[in-house]
Amino acid sequence: MAKTYINIPVTDEEKARIERADATWTGPKLIVLLAITLGTALVVLWLAANGHIVPQHS
């Protein structure tokens, strides 16, 4: 695992939290998250463009 370079003073607790986050969010997980987010955005845009999602007038 690559070491994270931290250029600001942090406590040992904060350093441990950063290292846990770096270990959790690997490249493949971020790519999957990106694909899901992009897919969701495109579906919402398509639904809005085709009138399936319209503002409600009261």
Side-chain angles (χ1 to χ4, degrees):
M1 178 172 98
K3 294 295 280 178
T4 299
Y5 178 73
I6 304 170
N7 63 352
I8 59 172
V10 294
T11 64
D12 289 338
E13 181 181 319
E14 292 170 330
K15 183 178 178 184
R17 184 184 57 81
I18 292 168
E19 289 175 353
R20 281 193 312 272
D22 283 350
T24 300
W25 289 104
T26 61
K29 284 184 181 179
L30 289 173
I31 291 171
V32 169
L33 179 63
L34 173 106
I36 291 170
T37 303
L38 181 60
T40 302
L42 290 174
V43 167
V44 169
L45 286 172
W46 182 83
L47 289 170
N50 289 301
H52 298 286
I53 300 175
V54 293
Q56 297 269 334
H57 296 288
S58 43

